[in-house]
Amino acid sequence: MRRALLVGIDDYEHQRSLAGCVNDATALQPLLVRNEDSTKNLDCRLLTGTVTRNDLMSGVRALLAGGADFALLYFAGHGTPVDGDVALVTSDGQGETPGVLFAEVLTIARKSEVKEIVVILDCCFSGGAGTVAALTDAAVLRSGMSILTASRGDQYSAEAGGRGLFSAHLEGALDGGAADVLGHVTVAGLYAYLSECFDAWEQRPTFKANVDRLHDLRSCAPSVPLPTLHNLLKWFPEPGHHYQLDPSYEPDKSQSGLDAHPEHEEIFDQLQKCRANKLVEPVDHQHMYFAAMESGSCRLTPLGRHYWQMAKRGTL
């Protein structure tokens, strides 16, 4: 049981209206509803347009109610700092009641039975969410909770071209940009991807977590097929082994005069995929082609040795 509540608020009664928040939530929904192979992922609800404080509180309570193993809260809209915390500004927010304090979300989360909760905030001053000042009942986030924000607690979050900059990059991350070799997209992978999308002069995403494992937010096609990763054990009996190549591995043998060798060519095709994903590298050659044509060899990279160890332990 996996749920997501996607909130996008453009309409405000007492503040400047926004132009990209509904677009952001709407764009993310299909990526979260289905994995890349079209299998079911998250059961999503959209809360967009005019959203009152009561609407948002009711939505959060329903999201974090019992019966789910995983819950994702996404919010795009105005944010405002309040005593070290951040308020998620609702359409009816004003003065001393701008909307929902993130501390209120934390209070609901601490009482929730949902095992893993991921919060993604695309609003100004969003980095104030989950700071020590905002943790009223405990000095740490509850176990299984992660918070990814578009900016630090003292920064604005920008819109451009009818989209939030952070959420536009988030869309690309969910669409495979943040996937690992096996196609897993986790909140930590999202942060690694998004932190590289902004320079030192721009808004800076933040990430806070108290987790002992990372669940997939979405699954994409693996960049290296799982059987190929298992074959690393066969090609490289030890992590430091050099796999010997020769011209029979290269499909283009026009200069070698060799007959076709389909088995070697298939292995070489898989090794090339590993090379493209920084798992394998040629030894003393710049390209795998020349390593094969000049009877050189290839070896595992540090990342390749990591996946070799995973295959050895049976954790792939």
Side-chain angles (χ1 to χ4, degrees), residues 215-243:
H215 294 264
D216 289 357
L217 271 70
R218 188 171 190 257
S219 295
C220 297
S223 53
V224 177
L226 193 58
T228 298
L229 293 175
H230 286 294
N231 280 336
L232 293 178
L233 294 176
K234 179 170 63 176
W235 301 328
F236 303 93
E238 299 295 334
H241 179 75
H242 288 195
Y243 185 85

Side-chain angles (χ1 to χ4, degrees), residues 170-230:
L170 175 62
E171 182 181 356
L174 289 169
D175 203 17
D180 65 10
V181 170
L182 292 170
H184 303 304
V185 180
T186 66
V187 65
L190 291 180
Y191 174 68
Y193 178 97
L194 291 163
S195 65
E196 296 179 348
C197 294
F198 299 92
D199 64 31
W201 297 91
E202 297 178 296
Q203 65 190 71
R204 295 299 309 166
T206 74
F207 178 48
K208 307 176 184 75
N210 180 13
V211 295
D212 58 12
R213 60 167 297 182
L214 291 168
H215 294 264
D216 289 357
L217 271 70
R218 188 171 190 257
S219 295
C220 297
S223 53
V224 177
L226 193 58
T228 298
L229 293 175
H230 286 294

Side-chain angles (χ1 to χ4, degrees), residues 43-93:
D43 190 350
C44 294
R45 284 186 180 179
L46 275 175
L47 194 58
T48 59
T50 299
V51 179
T52 67
R53 171 183 159 80
N54 285 343
D55 293 335
L56 183 53
M57 286 294 290
S58 296
V60 171
R61 291 187 189 281
L63 173 70
L64 301 182
D69 301 312
F70 176 92
L72 169 68
L73 171 62
Y74 167 84
F75 176 87
H78 278 305
T80 188
V82 179
D83 297 330
D85 195 2
V86 62
L88 310 182
V89 182
T90 51
S91 297
D92 56 347

Side-chain angles (χ1 to χ4, degrees), residues 120-122 148-150 158 164-170 194 198 203 205:
I120 301 176
L121 303 179
D122 188 0
L148 177 61
T149 74
L165 292 183
F166 173 85
S167 290
H169 291 306
L170 175 62
L194 291 163
F198 299 92
Q203 65 190 71

